[in-house]
Amino acid sequence: MKFPGSVLASVFLFVAETTAALYLSSTYRSGGDGMWQALTLLFSLLPCALVQLTLLFVHRDFSRDRPLVLLLHLLQLGPLFRCFEVFCIYCQSNHIEEPYVSITKKRQMPKNGLSEEIEKEVGQAEGKLFTHRSAFSRASVIQAFLGSAPQLTLQLYITALQQDVTIGRCLFMVLSLLSIVYGALRCNILAIKIKYDEYDVKVKPLAYVCIFLWRSFEIATRVIVLVLFTSVLKTWVLIDILLNFLSFLFYPWILFWCSGSPFPENIEKALSRVGTTIVLCFLTLLYAGINMFCWSAVQLKINNPDLISKSQNWYQLLVYYMLRFIENAFLLLMWYLYKTDIYMYVCAPLLILQVLIGYCTAILFMIVFYQFFHPCKKLFSSSVSESFQEWLKCACCDCRRRKSSESAEKTDLRSPADREETPTSSKISSMPSQILNADELFSA
C-alpha cells in the first residue's frame, strides 16, 4: 500500500503556515500595525475554516453521528485528527487481512496502439486512504489559492513599503510560496486523474519536478508583478484584480447559460438545489482564485457531470499565457513609469527583464512537461509543438490573405484616368495591324 506522503505534506504546510501567521500577527500587534495584523489573520483564518468544511464535506460527516469529529474541526484541529486517522489505517492495514475487497477496472496506457484493461483488488483500508488523499488534495488547493496566495502578496507588499524584511516574515513568505506551489501541483495531478479516470495514471518523479519548477516561476513572477504595481498605483490595481477575478468567476456560468443545459442535480445526492448552488458558487470562486495567479490546468464546465471539461484545448492554454504575459508586461511598464523613491536603489530595467525572463522560464517548463513528461501524453490527439505549428500556419495564412486582399483593393482603387488609358492604348496598338491587313488586301 502506498505511503500517505501527500497527507503528511498537506498537514505540515497547514500547521506551519498557520503558526507562522499567528506569530507574525502578534509582532504586528506589538509594533502598532493594526491593519497588517487584521489582514494577516484574515488570510490565515478564512482558509482554515474552508479547509475544515472541505474535509467534513468530502467525508460526509455532516450526515453522520460523529460529534467529537465535528468538535475537533470546530477547534481547527480537523487536519491533525485526519492525519492521525490516516496513519492508524495505514499501520493496521499491514497486519490485518481484509475479508471483503472490491474490484476496480482500469485501462493501461496504450502500447503500440493497444490498451489492455486490468483488474485490481481494493480493500476497505485502501479505499479509506484514497478518500483521505482526495480530501487533503482538495484542501491543499483551497488553502493555497484562497489563503496562501493573497497572504504572500500582502507580506511582500509590506516588505516593499517598509524596505525591511524580518526573519519571521521571510520564513512565512517561503512557507506561503511552498504552499501555493504545492497546491498548484495537487491541482495538476487532480486534473489529470479526473480527466483520465478510466486509465491507470502513474506520475513519474521527473514530472513532479517539472511541475514544481513551472509553478514556482509562474507564481513567484505573478506575485512580484502585482506587488510592484500595487506599490505605485493602489487604486488601479483594484480595477485589474476585479476585472481578472470577475472574468474567471462568471466565465463558467456564461458558458452554462449559453449552452441551455438544465441545472445540474447529480453533484451530490444529499444536497438540495440550494446546497448544489452553494457548492457550484464556491467552485467557481476557487476557479477564479486559481486563475488569478496561475493556469488552473482544468476548464470548469458546469453542465458536465464531472464539472470539468475532459478535452485538451491547447488554444485556451496559448491564449491564457499570451494575455497574461501582455498584462504582466503592461503592469511592469506602468510601475516603471510611476515608480517612487523607495525604488531609488533598484535597477528598474534589469528587474523588469528578470521578471519577464522568469515568466518565460515558467512557460518553457510547462511546454517540457506537456511534451515529454505528461503521464497521458500518448492519449493526446496532438502535442503542444504540433498545435503551435498549426497555429503558426493559420497565422501565416491569415497574413497572406490580408496582403492579397490589400493588393486587390489597391488595384480596384486606381484613378479613373488610369482606367481610361488602358483601353485607348489597346486601340492604338491595334491600328497598325488593321492598316497592314488593308495593304495586304489591295496588293492581293
Side-chain angles (χ1 to χ4, degrees):
M1 190 177 294
K2 187 178 178 181
F3 180 77
S6 60
V7 174
L8 191 63
S10 299
V11 173
F12 169 76
L13 288 172
F14 174 80
V15 174
E17 193 174 8
T18 305
T19 305
L22 294 176
Y23 166 75
L24 197 60
S25 64
S26 65
T27 60
Y28 288 142
R29 180 182 180 182
S30 60
D33 297 324
M35 185 177 66
W36 301 142
Q37 179 197 6
L39 289 174
T40 302
L41 288 176
L42 174 66
F43 293 141
S44 176
L45 298 180
L46 179 62
C48 285
L50 294 176
V51 164
Q52 311 299 325
L53 291 174
T54 302
L55 294 176
L56 288 171
F57 179 78
V58 173
H59 290 282
R60 301 175 181 175
D61 287 328
F62 290 109
S63 58
R64 300 165 64 184
D65 188 15
R66 302 184 69 184
L68 179 60
V69 174
L70 294 176
L71 177 62
L72 289 173
H73 279 284
L74 187 63
L75 297 173
Q76 305 298 313
L77 298 175
L80 293 174
F81 170 75
R82 300 288 184 186
C83 183
F84 176 75
E85 190 177 11
V86 165
F87 279 92
C88 287
I89 295 171
Y90 177 75
C91 294
Q92 292 176 1
S93 63
N94 296 326
H95 304 286
I96 300 175
E97 185 177 355
E98 297 184 7
Y100 302 102
V101 295
S102 59
I103 298 176
T104 61
K105 294 182 179 180
K106 295 283 186 180
R107 297 174 64 184
Q108 290 183 336
M109 286 296 119
K111 292 181 180 180
N112 299 324
L114 299 175
S115 177
E116 296 182 358
E117 192 175 57
I118 57 174
E119 294 183 352
K120 183 180 179 182
E121 294 183 353
V122 179
Q124 293 182 354
E126 191 171 355
K128 291 179 180 178
L129 286 180
F130 177 81
T131 304
H132 278 290
R133 288 193 187 97
S134 176
F136 274 101
S137 296
R138 287 159 173 78
S140 297
V141 175
I142 292 171
Q143 179 191 355
F145 293 100
L146 298 183
S148 302
Q151 188 76 265
L152 176 61
T153 308
L154 173 66
Q155 301 306 322
L156 190 59
Y157 175 70
I158 296 171
T159 303
L161 288 185
Q162 296 181 353
Q163 296 184 341
D164 181 37
V165 55
T166 60
I167 297 177
R169 191 188 301 147
C170 181
L171 179 62
F172 188 31
M173 288 192 293
V174 171
L175 288 172
S176 297
L177 181 60
L178 287 176
S179 177
I180 305 168
V181 173
Y182 180 74
L185 187 146
R186 298 313 309 175
C187 187
N188 273 94
I189 303 302
L190 275 172
I192 293 171
K193 290 185 176 180
I194 293 174
K195 283 182 179 180
Y196 307 98
D197 183 49
E198 57 182 2
Y199 288 91
D200 185 22
V201 178
K202 295 180 181 179
V203 185
K204 296 180 180 180
L206 283 176
Y208 281 108
V209 174
C210 203
I211 296 173
F212 183 85
L213 293 173
W214 160 27
R215 295 305 194 178
S216 298
F217 280 102
E218 182 180 10
I219 293 166
T221 52
R222 177 63 177 168
V223 171
I224 291 172
V225 168
L226 290 176
V227 169
L228 291 175
F229 186 70
T230 307
S231 63
V232 295
L233 295 170
K234 298 179 181 62
T235 305
W236 288 99
V237 75
L238 294 176
I239 298 175
D240 179 72
I241 291 174
L242 285 176
L243 186 62
N244 273 275
F245 188 78
L246 294 177
S247 299
F248 288 110
L249 182 65
F250 291 111
Y251 178 70
W253 290 104
I254 293 172
L255 292 180
F256 170 67
W257 290 326
C258 292
S259 66
S261 302
F263 190 80
E265 302 284 354
N266 54 353
I267 295 177
E268 184 66 33
K269 294 181 180 180
L271 290 177
S272 63
R273 192 178 183 89
V274 177
T276 303
T277 305
I278 294 173
V279 170
L280 290 176
C281 290
F282 179 73
L283 283 176
T284 52
L285 178 70
L286 179 61
Y287 177 76
I290 295 172
N291 282 284
M292 272 288 299
F293 292 91
C294 65
W295 172 249
S296 61
V298 293
Q299 293 300 311
L300 196 59
K301 196 173 183 180
I302 298 177
N303 57 350
N304 192 305
D306 295 321
L307 296 178
I308 67 168
S309 176
K310 292 191 175 184
S311 60
Q312 190 68 44
N313 195 327
W314 300 116
Y315 297 105
Q316 289 183 351
L317 183 70
L318 178 64
V319 169
Y320 175 86
Y321 277 100
M322 285 180 63
L323 293 178
R324 187 64 77 198
F325 181 83
I326 294 171
E327 181 196 358
N328 289 342
F330 177 75
L331 295 182
L332 288 172
L333 178 62
M334 291 297 103
W335 167 77
Y336 178 75
L337 295 176
Y338 294 98
K339 65 180 185 296
T340 57
D341 294 337
I342 62 174
Y343 300 106
M344 184 183 300
Y345 300 104
V346 175
C347 183
L350 180 61
L351 180 59
I352 292 174
L353 182 63
Q354 289 174 343
V355 172
L356 293 179
I357 290 176
Y359 196 77
C360 293
T361 306
I363 297 175
L364 176 63
F365 279 114
M366 178 201 66
I367 294 173
V368 169
F369 167 71
Y370 279 110
Q371 185 72 25
F372 301 106
F373 299 114
H374 196 285
C376 304
K377 63 181 181 180
K378 294 180 180 179
L379 302 175
F380 293 164
S381 57
S382 62
S383 63
V384 183
S385 59
E386 292 173 352
S387 300
F388 185 67
Q389 289 174 3
E390 290 178 1
W391 180 77
L392 285 178
K393 288 179 182 178
C394 293
C396 293
C397 290
D398 290 338
C399 292
R400 290 175 182 175
R401 288 173 184 173
R402 289 177 183 176
K403 289 181 179 179
S404 61
S405 61
E406 288 176 0
S407 60
E409 289 177 358
K410 288 180 179 178
T411 55
D412 293 337
L413 293 175
R414 289 180 304 175
S415 62
D418 295 337
R419 293 181 182 178
E420 292 175 357
E421 286 178 1
T422 305
T424 54
S425 61
S426 61
K427 291 178 182 177
I428 295 170
S429 61
S430 61
M431 288 176 64
S433 61
Q434 293 174 357
I435 295 170
L436 181 62
N437 292 332
D439 294 339
E440 291 177 353
L441 288 172
F442 283 123
S443 61

